[in-house]
Amino acid sequence: MTFRPVTGTTRAKPTLEGAGVHLHRVFGFGDTSETDPFLLLDDFRNDAPEKYRQGFPWHPHRGIETITYVLEGTVEHSDSLGNSGALGPGSVQWMTAGSGILHQEMPLGNAKGQMHGFQLWANLPSSLKMTAPRYQDIQGADIPTVVDDDGTSVRVITGNFWGKAGPVDGIAADPLYLDVSVPPNTRKVLPVDTYSHTFAYVFAGAGTFRDASDPVGVRVEKEVDGQELNIRDLTGNRTLVRFGTGDEIVVTAGPEGVRFLLVSGKPIQEPVAWHGPIVMNTRAELQQAMRELNNGTFIRSAH
């Protein structure tokens, strides 16, 4: 067994998307070599409805898959295929845009005005760029949770982990997508595929992600009973942790525990031509997509 070393950490950056939704971008619209097959991860978390209610009105996608995971609040959605519905707390929507789809997502929050969720974009290989679009809507109750003896809890959204299989299937990237909670001051070893690109995104608490030698992280400072407490080398809220190769991730939770997404997928290693929500392999394919958007032939009626 080989521990994956930490190759770097970055903080999610605030940005605006859609019609003015305030969110934090974990990564995206840059060099995809370190995250391939994943293109983008957004953390949309807000307790002020005026900062998210404008939502994400009608927009196109082609050549990718989008994964929306809702923790708090509700997101209503509809699309050009006639699908519509609502994603509640704990639910997941995996949309394969394929040859093209128009959709909208409107976050509503909960009774307290809270909205929290994530959207991850996964690339499609050239052989599937123009596949037929499809949706998978998974309710929170249908996502298995496995709890270890030490209290570590893992929701398995897709992939196989600790004997449980996630309900989302047929995804081109064949990813592992987990929501992991580790109790305070607990050290945990988590198995991953050796050569898949893997990252962790901490969104609650703090912890240390180790290789075989020293911990790597960012310093977290907090105040306890009026005195400043310096907790060394803990990776905290809204921090992305990138790993090298290996078949195990090692995490030690801080005094408040740690919760993070753990995502792993096999690299596609193909050229990426990117224009907003459309991701193809060449500029010519992007130009064709834009022409089809303009002349009304973007949505394919038959495949």
Side-chain angles (χ1 to χ4, degrees), residues 226-293:
Q227 293 187 343
E228 190 178 85
L229 176 64
N230 193 30
I231 307 173
R232 296 189 56 204
D233 297 315
L234 288 182
T235 299
N237 185 26
R238 290 199 174 108
T239 301
L240 175 72
V241 183
R242 298 185 303 277
F243 301 98
T245 58
D247 54 17
E248 291 180 333
I249 300 294
V250 182
V251 58
T252 303
E256 297 177 352
V258 64
R259 188 176 180 187
F260 57 94
L261 302 180
L262 183 61
V263 182
S264 180
K266 293 180 173 63
I268 295 174
Q269 297 180 320
E270 292 182 353
V272 175
W274 194 342
H275 181 76
I278 298 173
V279 184
M280 304 301 289
N281 295 109
T282 68
R283 297 297 302 176
E285 290 169 336
L286 281 183
Q287 291 165 356
Q288 177 182 344
M290 299 310 295
R291 286 195 299 270
E292 292 175 357
L293 270 174

Side-chain angles (χ1 to χ4, degrees), residues 10-291:
T10 53
R11 295 296 302 277
K13 297 179 180 179
T15 189
L16 293 176
E17 266 300 349
V21 177
H22 294 248
L23 52 80
H24 280 72
R25 177 145 297 147
V26 183
F27 62 85
F29 297 104
D31 181 10
T32 62
S33 60
E34 289 190 346
T35 59
D36 178 21
F38 307 110
L39 301 165
L40 173 147
L41 177 62
D42 282 343
D43 178 349
F44 54 95
R45 182 188 332 182
N46 218 296
D47 295 341
E50 66 273 13
K51 293 186 176 181
Y52 61 77
R53 280 283 174 85
Q54 299 92 334
F56 307 91
W58 291 97
H59 59 280
H61 283 290
R62 174 178 284 181
I64 64 172
E65 301 185 274
T66 67
I67 307 96
T68 305
Y69 177 31
V70 177
L71 293 184
E72 296 289 346
T74 301
V75 177
E76 289 187 342
H77 68 88
S78 53
D79 67 41
S80 53
L81 300 177
N83 298 307
S84 64
L87 301 174
S91 61
V92 174
Q93 179 191 86
W94 201 297
M95 183 189 76
T96 303
S99 62
I101 199 166
L102 297 171
H103 79 150
Q104 67 172 357
E105 297 162 301
M106 306 303 288
L108 302 180
N110 59 19
K112 296 180 180 180
Q114 299 167 319
M115 187 72 236
H116 188 191
F118 307 97
Q119 187 166 91
L120 177 69
W121 291 10
N123 201 6
L124 282 169
S126 57
S127 60
L128 295 175
K129 288 286 189 188
M130 299 300 287
T131 192
R134 70 166 184 153
Y135 268 98
Q136 294 184 70
D137 275 5
I138 309 295
Q139 298 304 310
D142 296 326
I143 297 175
T145 298
V146 56
V147 181
D148 208 0
D149 293 341
D150 61 8
T152 297
S153 173
V154 180
R155 299 192 81 213
V156 185
I157 295 168
T158 185
N160 290 277
F161 192 80
W162 286 351
K164 295 287 186 178
V168 182
D169 61 10
I171 304 306
D174 191 23
L176 181 72
Y177 190 148
L178 309 175
D179 177 353
V180 182
S181 297
V182 182
N185 304 312
T186 300
R187 181 179 184 270
K188 202 68 191 170
V189 177
L190 305 172
V192 293
D193 181 78
T194 304
Y195 297 107
S196 292
H197 278 166
T198 301
F199 67 82
Y201 177 63
V202 178
F203 63 91
T208 298
F209 293 82
R210 296 177 180 267
D211 58 15
S213 54
D214 293 328
V216 177
V218 295
R219 190 179 302 277
V220 176
E221 294 181 352
K222 60 184 295 185
E223 194 171 279
V224 177
D225 296 330
Q227 293 187 343
E228 190 178 85
L229 176 64
N230 193 30
I231 307 173
R232 296 189 56 204
D233 297 315
L234 288 182
T235 299
N237 185 26
R238 290 199 174 108
T239 301
L240 175 72
V241 183
R242 298 185 303 277
F243 301 98
T245 58
D247 54 17
E248 291 180 333
I249 300 294
V250 182
V251 58
T252 303
E256 297 177 352
V258 64
R259 188 176 180 187
F260 57 94
L261 302 180
L262 183 61
V263 182
S264 180
K266 293 180 173 63
I268 295 174
Q269 297 180 320
E270 292 182 353
V272 175
W274 194 342
H275 181 76
I278 298 173
V279 184
M280 304 301 289
N281 295 109
T282 68
R283 297 297 302 176
E285 290 169 336
L286 281 183
Q287 291 165 356
Q288 177 182 344
M290 299 310 295
R291 286 195 299 270

